[in-house]
């Protein structure tokens, strides 16, 4: 029933319009970025010391307007303008610029993210990386695509053969033992940063991503994309969550990754 509801609410015509809105908003942010290259002067600090720019706010306003036109009764949750998670109904989760630190330094890893929840379950996701023009999208039961082609995850089956990606090192404050355990257990650890980690996972170049300290808007699209591509998503304990500490993988190395994380947490 959940899949039927997602298909009905995220019909093809409105979904295409939403994708167009995401691409348009991302391209507008990219144009604004060119006017403020290395835009430190255009950045402010929020209460949590993370940066925000006018491009963040303008992008979220544009996407909120687009969603409200297409789905007038939907709930809206965004990084810059807030909102509440609802266990009933349709909700859109907006991260207008995921990777603002990359944005203000003209690094190509930033993206525009939109996730969709229906009755508290993630059922849709769109990620657009304007610098490279890469577009990922997924709807529950319909698979995940990378620039229109099906996403293909890796077939690596053991952690000692795996390339694992991690988020920024500050995310591992308090999780240092887990980070070192992953390093020791895997073939190699890399950090592409922001959604670029998930882009490489969805292209089969990376086998797992470990990302602690995430908010709903950080992970919502990636969670749907990875699941629809045939992978797995969980918190560090193997459960489901809307925010916190996440492991996303090709599915084959997921249980082993969880055992490594659990063992590190229990170590003295």
């Amino acid at each position: 029933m959940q899949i039927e509801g997602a298909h009905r609410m995220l019909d093809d015509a409105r979904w295409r319009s939403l994708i167009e809105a995401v691409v348009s908003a991302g391209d507008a942010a990219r144009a604004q970025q060119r006017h403020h290259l290395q835009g430190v002067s255009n950045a402010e600090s929020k209460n949590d010391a993370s940066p925000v720019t006018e491009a963040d706010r303008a992008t979220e306003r544009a996407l909120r307007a687009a969603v409200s036109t297409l789905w007038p009764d939907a709930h809206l949750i965004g990084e810059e303008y807030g909102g509440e998670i609802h266990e009933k109904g349709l909700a859109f989760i907006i991260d207008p610029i995921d990777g603002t630190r990359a944005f203000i330094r003209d690094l190509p890893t930033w993206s525009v993210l939109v996730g969709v929840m229906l009755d508290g379950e993630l059922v849709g996701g769109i990620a657009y990386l304007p610098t490279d023009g890469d577009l990922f999208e997924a709807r529950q039961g319909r698979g995940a695509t990378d620039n229109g082609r099906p996403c293909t995850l890796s077939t690596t089956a053991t952690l000692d053969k795996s390339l694992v990606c991690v988020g920024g090192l500050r995310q591992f404050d308090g999780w240092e033992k887990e980070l070192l355990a992953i390093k020791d257990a895997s073939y190699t650890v890399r950090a592409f940063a922001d959604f670029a980690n998930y882009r490489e996972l969805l292209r089969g170049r990376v086998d797992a991503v470990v990302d602690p300290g995430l908010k709903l808007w950080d992970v919502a699209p990636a969670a749907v994309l990875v699941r629809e591509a045939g992978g797995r998503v969980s918190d560090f304990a193997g459960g489901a969550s809307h925010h916190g500490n996440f492991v996303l993988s090709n599915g084959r190395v997921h249980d082993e990754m969880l055992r490594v994380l659990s063992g590190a947490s229990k170590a003295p």
Side-chain angles (χ1 to χ4, degrees):
M1 292 298 292
Q2 186 72 31
I3 292 178
E4 292 177 7
H7 288 180
R8 184 177 64 256
M9 298 300 296
L10 303 179
D11 57 276
D12 289 346
R14 285 189 290 183
W15 187 251
R16 284 194 298 269
S17 294
L18 178 60
I19 290 173
E20 290 171 1
V22 170
V23 171
S24 177
D27 288 345
R30 175 65 171 149
Q32 186 171 351
Q33 182 193 39
R34 292 191 184 101
H35 291 295
H36 299 279
L37 191 61
Q38 301 288 328
V40 176
S41 62
N42 189 43
E44 306 167 21
S45 291
K46 295 191 284 190
N47 291 336
D48 62 359
S50 65
V52 62
T53 70
E54 179 51 33
D56 290 84
R57 299 186 182 105
T59 302
E60 183 167 330
R61 289 195 298 268
L63 290 174
R64 282 175 173 265
V67 170
S68 295
T69 298
L70 294 166
W71 290 275
D73 297 327
H75 304 292
L76 294 170
I77 304 165
E79 180 174 11
E80 307 308 334
Y81 292 103
E84 297 181 0
I85 297 175
H86 293 263
E87 293 303 318
K88 294 294 182 181
L90 189 66
F92 288 79
I93 304 100
I94 300 167
D95 193 342
I97 295 180
D98 179 63
T100 301
R101 290 181 176 88
F103 178 84
I104 64 178
R105 293 299 185 111
D106 198 28
L107 294 171
T109 58
W110 65 277
S111 61
V112 179
L113 305 179
V114 176
V116 189
M117 298 181 80
L118 180 61
D119 295 338
E121 180 180 343
L122 288 167
V123 296
I126 300 169
Y128 178 54
L129 293 89
T131 304
D132 297 324
D134 286 334
L135 175 68
F136 294 81
E137 58 103 356
R139 285 176 286 174
Q140 188 177 61
R142 298 190 181 189
T145 63
D146 167 2
N147 293 315
R149 300 178 298 273
C151 294
T152 303
L153 303 182
S154 73
T155 58
T156 306
T158 60
L159 196 53
D160 64 340
K161 303 295 184 183
S162 292
L163 194 162
V164 178
C165 275
V166 296
L169 289 182
R170 285 184 179 174
Q171 291 177 246
F172 285 86
D173 287 348
W175 299 97
E176 293 87 354
K177 291 189 296 184
E178 286 76 6
L179 178 59
L180 292 175
I182 294 164
K183 182 264 294 182
D184 290 339
S186 62
Y187 171 68
T188 188
V189 174
R190 294 286 187 271
F192 294 103
D194 311 316
F195 189 84
N197 277 338
Y198 302 119
R199 173 169 57 183
E200 302 309 320
L201 177 63
L202 291 163
R203 289 179 173 174
R205 297 168 177 166
V206 165
D207 307 304
V209 177
V210 181
D211 232 353
L214 299 186
K215 304 294 187 183
L216 174 61
W217 45 75
D218 296 314
V219 75
V224 181
L225 282 156
V226 171
R227 286 174 184 147
E228 286 297 307
R232 284 180 61 186
V233 180
S234 76
D235 62 22
F236 282 8
S241 178
H242 289 151
H243 58 86
N245 307 315
F246 285 89
V247 178
L248 297 89
S249 78
N250 64 3
R252 297 168 183 255
V253 301
H254 205 91
D255 287 335
E256 189 177 359
M257 177 71 76
L258 294 178
R259 287 194 294 272
V260 168
L261 290 167
S262 176
S265 297
K266 295 173 182 177

PDB file of all heavy atoms in Angstrom, residues 12-28 62-63 66-67 70-71 112 114 126 128 135-137:
ATOM      1  N   ASP A  12       4.142  10.872 -12.474  1.00  0.00           N
ATOM      2  CA  ASP A  12       5.213  11.226 -13.402  1.00  0.00           C
ATOM      3  C   ASP A  12       5.244  12.714 -13.746  1.00  0.00           C
ATOM      4  O   ASP A  12       6.317  13.326 -13.780  1.00  0.00           O
ATOM      5  CB  ASP A  12       5.085  10.420 -14.699  1.00  0.00           C
ATOM      6  CG  ASP A  12       5.421   8.951 -14.513  1.00  0.00           C
ATOM      7  OD1 ASP A  12       5.995   8.596 -13.468  1.00  0.00           O
ATOM      8  OD2 ASP A  12       5.097   8.153 -15.414  1.00  0.00           O
ATOM      9  N   ALA A  13       4.091  13.301 -14.010  1.00  0.00           N
ATOM     10  CA  ALA A  13       4.073  14.696 -14.453  1.00  0.00           C
ATOM     11  C   ALA A  13       4.586  15.631 -13.366  1.00  0.00           C
ATOM     12  O   ALA A  13       5.444  16.490 -13.614  1.00  0.00           O
ATOM     13  CB  ALA A  13       2.651  15.091 -14.865  1.00  0.00           C
ATOM     14  N   ARG A  14       4.097  15.473 -12.144  1.00  0.00           N
ATOM     15  CA  ARG A  14       4.545  16.357 -11.070  1.00  0.00           C
ATOM     16  C   ARG A  14       5.997  16.061 -10.683  1.00  0.00           C
ATOM     17  O   ARG A  14       6.747  16.978 -10.339  1.00  0.00           O
ATOM     18  CB  ARG A  14       3.614  16.239  -9.862  1.00  0.00           C
ATOM     19  CG  ARG A  14       2.285  16.936 -10.078  1.00  0.00           C
ATOM     20  CD  ARG A  14       1.464  17.010  -8.813  1.00  0.00           C
ATOM     21  NE  ARG A  14       0.958  15.698  -8.419  1.00  0.00           N
ATOM     22  CZ  ARG A  14       0.163  15.503  -7.365  1.00  0.00           C
ATOM     23  NH1 ARG A  14      -0.192  16.521  -6.597  1.00  0.00           N
ATOM     24  NH2 ARG A  14      -0.277  14.281  -7.072  1.00  0.00           N
ATOM     25  N   TRP A  15       6.375  14.802 -10.761  1.00  0.00           N
ATOM     26  CA  TRP A  15       7.760  14.452 -10.433  1.00  0.00           C
ATOM     27  C   TRP A  15       8.724  15.114 -11.412  1.00  0.00           C
ATOM     28  O   TRP A  15       9.750  15.656 -11.021  1.00  0.00           O
ATOM     29  CB  TRP A  15       7.923  12.938 -10.434  1.00  0.00           C
ATOM     30  CG  TRP A  15       9.271  12.464  -9.950  1.00  0.00           C
ATOM     31  CD1 TRP A  15      10.271  11.913 -10.696  1.00  0.00           C
ATOM     32  CD2 TRP A  15       9.753  12.496  -8.600  1.00  0.00           C
ATOM     33  NE1 TRP A  15      11.348  11.589  -9.913  1.00  0.00           N
ATOM     34  CE2 TRP A  15      11.059  11.937  -8.619  1.00  0.00           C
ATOM     35  CE3 TRP A  15       9.224  12.927  -7.390  1.00  0.00           C
ATOM     36  CZ2 TRP A  15      11.838  11.810  -7.464  1.00  0.00           C
ATOM     37  CZ3 TRP A  15       9.997  12.805  -6.241  1.00  0.00           C
ATOM     38  CH2 TRP A  15      11.287  12.261  -6.286  1.00  0.00           C
ATOM     39  N   ARG A  16       8.391  15.078 -12.702  1.00  0.00           N
ATOM     40  CA  ARG A  16       9.246  15.739 -13.696  1.00  0.00           C
ATOM     41  C   ARG A  16       9.324  17.236 -13.431  1.00  0.00           C
ATOM     42  O   ARG A  16      10.390  17.846 -13.571  1.00  0.00           O
ATOM     43  CB  ARG A  16       8.723  15.475 -15.107  1.00  0.00           C
ATOM     44  CG  ARG A  16       9.023  14.070 -15.628  1.00  0.00           C
ATOM     45  CD  ARG A  16       8.802  13.979 -17.124  1.00  0.00           C
ATOM     46  NE  ARG A  16       7.416  14.252 -17.483  1.00  0.00           N
ATOM     47  CZ  ARG A  16       6.467  13.326 -17.580  1.00  0.00           C
ATOM     48  NH1 ARG A  16       6.756  12.051 -17.331  1.00  0.00           N
ATOM     49  NH2 ARG A  16       5.239  13.654 -17.923  1.00  0.00           N
ATOM     50  N   SER A  17       8.208  17.821 -13.040  1.00  0.00           N
ATOM     51  CA  SER A  17       8.211  19.254 -12.736  1.00  0.00           C
ATOM     52  C   SER A  17       9.084  19.560 -11.521  1.00  0.00           C
ATOM     53  O   SER A  17       9.778  20.581 -11.485  1.00  0.00           O
ATOM     54  CB  SER A  17       6.778  19.739 -12.486  1.00  0.00           C
ATOM     55  OG  SER A  17       6.003  19.652 -13.671  1.00  0.00           O
ATOM     56  N   LEU A  18       9.053  18.671 -10.526  1.00  0.00           N
ATOM     57  CA  LEU A  18       9.900  18.870  -9.355  1.00  0.00           C
ATOM     58  C   LEU A  18      11.374  18.764  -9.735  1.00  0.00           C
ATOM     59  O   LEU A  18      12.199  19.575  -9.286  1.00  0.00           O
ATOM     60  CB  LEU A  18       9.560  17.845  -8.275  1.00  0.00           C
ATOM     61  CG  LEU A  18      10.406  17.919  -6.996  1.00  0.00           C
ATOM     62  CD1 LEU A  18      10.274  19.275  -6.321  1.00  0.00           C
ATOM     63  CD2 LEU A  18      10.030  16.799  -6.030  1.00  0.00           C
ATOM     64  N   ILE A  19      11.724  17.785 -10.546  1.00  0.00           N
ATOM     65  CA  ILE A  19      13.109  17.658 -11.001  1.00  0.00           C
ATOM     66  C   ILE A  19      13.546  18.928 -11.731  1.00  0.00           C
ATOM     67  O   ILE A  19      14.655  19.440 -11.504  1.00  0.00           O
ATOM     68  CB  ILE A  19      13.267  16.419 -11.904  1.00  0.00           C
ATOM     69  CG1 ILE A  19      13.137  15.139 -11.079  1.00  0.00           C
ATOM     70  CG2 ILE A  19      14.613  16.448 -12.638  1.00  0.00           C
ATOM     71  CD1 ILE A  19      13.110  13.875 -11.905  1.00  0.00           C
ATOM     72  N   GLU A  20      12.694  19.437 -12.591  1.00  0.00           N
ATOM     73  CA  GLU A  20      13.024  20.675 -13.311  1.00  0.00           C
ATOM     74  C   GLU A  20      13.252  21.823 -12.339  1.00  0.00           C
ATOM     75  O   GLU A  20      14.156  22.652 -12.532  1.00  0.00           O
ATOM     76  CB  GLU A  20      11.898  21.012 -14.294  1.00  0.00           C
ATOM     77  CG  GLU A  20      11.815  20.049 -15.474  1.00  0.00           C
ATOM     78  CD  GLU A  20      10.570  20.276 -16.310  1.00  0.00           C
ATOM     79  OE1 GLU A  20       9.781  21.207 -15.971  1.00  0.00           O
ATOM     80  OE2 GLU A  20      10.355  19.524 -17.284  1.00  0.00           O
ATOM     81  N   ALA A  21      12.448  21.883 -11.284  1.00  0.00           N
ATOM     82  CA  ALA A  21      12.609  22.947 -10.285  1.00  0.00           C
ATOM     83  C   ALA A  21      13.922  22.804  -9.535  1.00  0.00           C
ATOM     84  O   ALA A  21      14.604  23.805  -9.251  1.00  0.00           O
ATOM     85  CB  ALA A  21      11.433  22.926  -9.304  1.00  0.00           C
ATOM     86  N   VAL A  22      14.305  21.573  -9.205  1.00  0.00           N
ATOM     87  CA  VAL A  22      15.574  21.341  -8.507  1.00  0.00           C
ATOM     88  C   VAL A  22      16.742  21.756  -9.396  1.00  0.00           C
ATOM     89  O   VAL A  22      17.672  22.445  -8.954  1.00  0.00           O
ATOM     90  CB  VAL A  22      15.696  19.863  -8.094  1.00  0.00           C
ATOM     91  CG1 VAL A  22      17.103  19.559  -7.591  1.00  0.00           C
ATOM     92  CG2 VAL A  22      14.672  19.526  -7.019  1.00  0.00           C
ATOM     93  N   VAL A  23      16.708  21.356 -10.652  1.00  0.00           N
ATOM     94  CA  VAL A  23      17.793  21.711 -11.575  1.00  0.00           C
ATOM     95  C   VAL A  23      17.857  23.221 -11.775  1.00  0.00           C
ATOM     96  O   VAL A  23      18.940  23.817 -11.760  1.00  0.00           O
ATOM     97  CB  VAL A  23      17.609  20.980 -12.923  1.00  0.00           C
ATOM     98  CG1 VAL A  23      18.592  21.513 -13.972  1.00  0.00           C
ATOM     99  CG2 VAL A  23      17.791  19.476 -12.732  1.00  0.00           C
ATOM    100  N   SER A  24      16.707  23.850 -11.942  1.00  0.00           N
ATOM    101  CA  SER A  24      16.670  25.299 -12.126  1.00  0.00           C
ATOM    102  C   SER A  24      17.227  26.029 -10.911  1.00  0.00           C
ATOM    103  O   SER A  24      18.031  26.971 -11.037  1.00  0.00           O
ATOM    104  CB  SER A  24      15.234  25.754 -12.394  1.00  0.00           C
ATOM    105  OG  SER A  24      15.159  27.157 -12.514  1.00  0.00           O
ATOM    106  N   ALA A  25      16.826  25.600  -9.719  1.00  0.00           N
ATOM    107  CA  ALA A  25      17.307  26.235  -8.490  1.00  0.00           C
ATOM    108  C   ALA A  25      18.803  26.014  -8.319  1.00  0.00           C
ATOM    109  O   ALA A  25      19.543  26.911  -7.900  1.00  0.00           O
ATOM    110  CB  ALA A  25      16.538  25.693  -7.290  1.00  0.00           C
ATOM    111  N   GLY A  26      19.261  24.813  -8.640  1.00  0.00           N
ATOM    112  CA  GLY A  26      20.691  24.535  -8.535  1.00  0.00           C
ATOM    113  C   GLY A  26      21.513  25.350  -9.506  1.00  0.00           C
ATOM    114  O   GLY A  26      22.584  25.876  -9.156  1.00  0.00           O
ATOM    115  N   ASP A  27      21.031  25.486 -10.725  1.00  0.00           N
ATOM    116  CA  ASP A  27      21.748  26.278 -11.724  1.00  0.00           C
ATOM    117  C   ASP A  27      21.771  27.757 -11.337  1.00  0.00           C
ATOM    118  O   ASP A  27      22.767  28.456 -11.563  1.00  0.00           O
ATOM    119  CB  ASP A  27      21.110  26.093 -13.102  1.00  0.00           C
ATOM    120  CG  ASP A  27      21.379  24.711 -13.684  1.00  0.00           C
ATOM    121  OD1 ASP A  27      22.277  24.013 -13.176  1.00  0.00           O
ATOM    122  OD2 ASP A  27      20.683  24.333 -14.645  1.00  0.00           O
ATOM    123  N   ALA A  28      20.685  28.226 -10.734  1.00  0.00           N
ATOM    124  CA  ALA A  28      20.664  29.621 -10.270  1.00  0.00           C
ATOM    125  C   ALA A  28      21.676  29.830  -9.154  1.00  0.00           C
ATOM    126  O   ALA A  28      22.367  30.862  -9.101  1.00  0.00           O
ATOM    127  CB  ALA A  28      19.255  29.985  -9.796  1.00  0.00           C
ATOM    128  N   ALA A  62      12.950  29.072  -3.437  1.00  0.00           N
ATOM    129  CA  ALA A  62      12.501  28.658  -4.767  1.00  0.00           C
ATOM    130  C   ALA A  62      11.905  27.256  -4.729  1.00  0.00           C
ATOM    131  O   ALA A  62      10.857  26.994  -5.359  1.00  0.00           O
ATOM    132  CB  ALA A  62      13.671  28.713  -5.751  1.00  0.00           C
ATOM    133  N   LEU A  63      12.523  26.359  -3.998  1.00  0.00           N
ATOM    134  CA  LEU A  63      12.029  24.987  -3.945  1.00  0.00           C
ATOM    135  C   LEU A  63      10.749  24.883  -3.122  1.00  0.00           C
ATOM    136  O   LEU A  63       9.842  24.112  -3.459  1.00  0.00           O
ATOM    137  CB  LEU A  63      13.113  24.072  -3.375  1.00  0.00           C
ATOM    138  CG  LEU A  63      14.303  23.870  -4.323  1.00  0.00           C
ATOM    139  CD1 LEU A  63      15.404  23.083  -3.636  1.00  0.00           C
ATOM    140  CD2 LEU A  63      13.871  23.170  -5.603  1.00  0.00           C
ATOM    141  N   ALA A  66       8.036  25.956  -5.442  1.00  0.00           N
ATOM    142  CA  ALA A  66       7.736  24.939  -6.451  1.00  0.00           C
ATOM    143  C   ALA A  66       6.928  23.794  -5.866  1.00  0.00           C
ATOM    144  O   ALA A  66       5.926  23.347  -6.452  1.00  0.00           O
ATOM    145  CB  ALA A  66       9.038  24.414  -7.055  1.00  0.00           C
ATOM    146  N   VAL A  67       7.337  23.302  -4.695  1.00  0.00           N
ATOM    147  CA  VAL A  67       6.611  22.194  -4.058  1.00  0.00           C
ATOM    148  C   VAL A  67       5.199  22.620  -3.689  1.00  0.00           C
ATOM    149  O   VAL A  67       4.236  21.867  -3.895  1.00  0.00           O
ATOM    150  CB  VAL A  67       7.375  21.690  -2.822  1.00  0.00           C
ATOM    151  CG1 VAL A  67       6.517  20.703  -2.021  1.00  0.00           C
ATOM    152  CG2 VAL A  67       8.691  21.036  -3.234  1.00  0.00           C
ATOM    153  N   LEU A  70       3.002  22.451  -6.710  1.00  0.00           N
ATOM    154  CA  LEU A  70       2.738  21.102  -7.206  1.00  0.00           C
ATOM    155  C   LEU A  70       1.941  20.261  -6.211  1.00  0.00           C
ATOM    156  O   LEU A  70       1.093  19.454  -6.610  1.00  0.00           O
ATOM    157  CB  LEU A  70       4.067  20.407  -7.516  1.00  0.00           C
ATOM    158  CG  LEU A  70       4.869  21.000  -8.675  1.00  0.00           C
ATOM    159  CD1 LEU A  70       6.299  20.457  -8.659  1.00  0.00           C
ATOM    160  CD2 LEU A  70       4.193  20.682 -10.004  1.00  0.00           C
ATOM    161  N   TRP A  71       2.215  20.431  -4.914  1.00  0.00           N
ATOM    162  CA  TRP A  71       1.543  19.666  -3.858  1.00  0.00           C
ATOM    163  C   TRP A  71       1.109  20.655  -2.772  1.00  0.00           C
ATOM    164  O   TRP A  71       1.785  20.801  -1.736  1.00  0.00           O
ATOM    165  CB  TRP A  71       2.479  18.616  -3.270  1.00  0.00           C
ATOM    166  CG  TRP A  71       2.809  17.477  -4.185  1.00  0.00           C
ATOM    167  CD1 TRP A  71       2.090  16.334  -4.378  1.00  0.00           C
ATOM    168  CD2 TRP A  71       3.977  17.361  -5.025  1.00  0.00           C
ATOM    169  NE1 TRP A  71       2.720  15.518  -5.278  1.00  0.00           N
ATOM    170  CE2 TRP A  71       3.880  16.112  -5.692  1.00  0.00           C
ATOM    171  CE3 TRP A  71       5.086  18.175  -5.271  1.00  0.00           C
ATOM    172  CZ2 TRP A  71       4.849  15.672  -6.591  1.00  0.00           C
ATOM    173  CZ3 TRP A  71       6.050  17.742  -6.167  1.00  0.00           C
ATOM    174  CH2 TRP A  71       5.932  16.512  -6.821  1.00  0.00           C
ATOM    175  N   VAL A 112      22.110  20.125  -4.475  1.00  0.00           N
ATOM    176  CA  VAL A 112      20.764  20.502  -4.044  1.00  0.00           C
ATOM    177  C   VAL A 112      20.005  19.201  -3.808  1.00  0.00           C
ATOM    178  O   VAL A 112      19.953  18.336  -4.690  1.00  0.00           O
ATOM    179  CB  VAL A 112      20.053  21.352  -5.108  1.00  0.00           C
ATOM    180  CG1 VAL A 112      18.638  21.700  -4.645  1.00  0.00           C
ATOM    181  CG2 VAL A 112      20.850  22.620  -5.399  1.00  0.00           C
ATOM    182  N   VAL A 114      16.506  17.086  -2.341  1.00  0.00           N
ATOM    183  CA  VAL A 114      15.096  17.054  -1.945  1.00  0.00           C
ATOM    184  C   VAL A 114      14.718  15.610  -1.657  1.00  0.00           C
ATOM    185  O   VAL A 114      14.893  14.722  -2.506  1.00  0.00           O
ATOM    186  CB  VAL A 114      14.167  17.620  -3.038  1.00  0.00           C
ATOM    187  CG1 VAL A 114      12.704  17.460  -2.617  1.00  0.00           C
ATOM    188  CG2 VAL A 114      14.475  19.086  -3.299  1.00  0.00           C
ATOM    189  N   ILE A 126      15.830  13.293  -4.711  1.00  0.00           N
ATOM    190  CA  ILE A 126      16.480  13.931  -5.859  1.00  0.00           C
ATOM    191  C   ILE A 126      17.755  14.591  -5.358  1.00  0.00           C
ATOM    192  O   ILE A 126      17.749  15.263  -4.322  1.00  0.00           O
ATOM    193  CB  ILE A 126      15.575  14.995  -6.501  1.00  0.00           C
ATOM    194  CG1 ILE A 126      14.262  14.382  -6.992  1.00  0.00           C
ATOM    195  CG2 ILE A 126      16.299  15.695  -7.662  1.00  0.00           C
ATOM    196  CD1 ILE A 126      13.220  15.421  -7.403  1.00  0.00           C
ATOM    197  N   TYR A 128      21.016  16.867  -7.073  1.00  0.00           N
ATOM    198  CA  TYR A 128      21.569  17.517  -8.265  1.00  0.00           C
ATOM    199  C   TYR A 128      22.864  18.213  -7.879  1.00  0.00           C
ATOM    200  O   TYR A 128      22.897  19.006  -6.935  1.00  0.00           O
ATOM    201  CB  TYR A 128      20.571  18.524  -8.828  1.00  0.00           C
ATOM    202  CG  TYR A 128      21.074  19.289 -10.026  1.00  0.00           C
ATOM    203  CD1 TYR A 128      21.575  18.635 -11.150  1.00  0.00           C
ATOM    204  CD2 TYR A 128      21.038  20.685 -10.049  1.00  0.00           C
ATOM    205  CE1 TYR A 128      22.036  19.346 -12.254  1.00  0.00           C
ATOM    206  CE2 TYR A 128      21.487  21.398 -11.150  1.00  0.00           C
ATOM    207  CZ  TYR A 128      21.987  20.718 -12.252  1.00  0.00           C
ATOM    208  OH  TYR A 128      22.451  21.425 -13.341  1.00  0.00           O
ATOM    209  N   LEU A 135      22.635  14.426 -12.089  1.00  0.00           N
ATOM    210  CA  LEU A 135      21.297  14.354 -11.512  1.00  0.00           C
ATOM    211  C   LEU A 135      20.972  12.910 -11.134  1.00  0.00           C
ATOM    212  O   LEU A 135      21.028  12.004 -11.978  1.00  0.00           O
ATOM    213  CB  LEU A 135      20.261  14.862 -12.512  1.00  0.00           C
ATOM    214  CG  LEU A 135      18.794  14.736 -12.100  1.00  0.00           C
ATOM    215  CD1 LEU A 135      18.474  15.659 -10.935  1.00  0.00           C
ATOM    216  CD2 LEU A 135      17.887  15.040 -13.288  1.00  0.00           C
ATOM    217  N   PHE A 136      20.627  12.704  -9.862  1.00  0.00           N
ATOM    218  CA  PHE A 136      20.217  11.400  -9.355  1.00  0.00           C
ATOM    219  C   PHE A 136      18.777  11.521  -8.869  1.00  0.00           C
ATOM    220  O   PHE A 136      18.425  12.497  -8.207  1.00  0.00           O
ATOM    221  CB  PHE A 136      21.111  10.959  -8.198  1.00  0.00           C
ATOM    222  CG  PHE A 136      22.540  10.695  -8.581  1.00  0.00           C
ATOM    223  CD1 PHE A 136      23.436  11.748  -8.708  1.00  0.00           C
ATOM    224  CD2 PHE A 136      22.970   9.398  -8.809  1.00  0.00           C
ATOM    225  CE1 PHE A 136      24.756  11.506  -9.066  1.00  0.00           C
ATOM    226  CE2 PHE A 136      24.292   9.154  -9.159  1.00  0.00           C
ATOM    227  CZ  PHE A 136      25.189  10.205  -9.288  1.00  0.00           C
ATOM    228  N   GLU A 137      17.961  10.514  -9.163  1.00  0.00           N
ATOM    229  CA  GLU A 137      16.586  10.555  -8.668  1.00  0.00           C
ATOM    230  C   GLU A 137      16.061   9.149  -8.457  1.00  0.00           C
ATOM    231  O   GLU A 137      16.471   8.205  -9.137  1.00  0.00           O
ATOM    232  CB  GLU A 137      15.682  11.344  -9.619  1.00  0.00           C
ATOM    233  CG  GLU A 137      15.608  10.839 -11.035  1.00  0.00           C
ATOM    234  CD  GLU A 137      14.333  10.074 -11.326  1.00  0.00           C
ATOM    235  OE1 GLU A 137      13.527   9.874 -10.396  1.00  0.00           O
ATOM    236  OE2 GLU A 137      14.160   9.669 -12.478  1.00  0.00           O
TER     237      GLU A 137
END
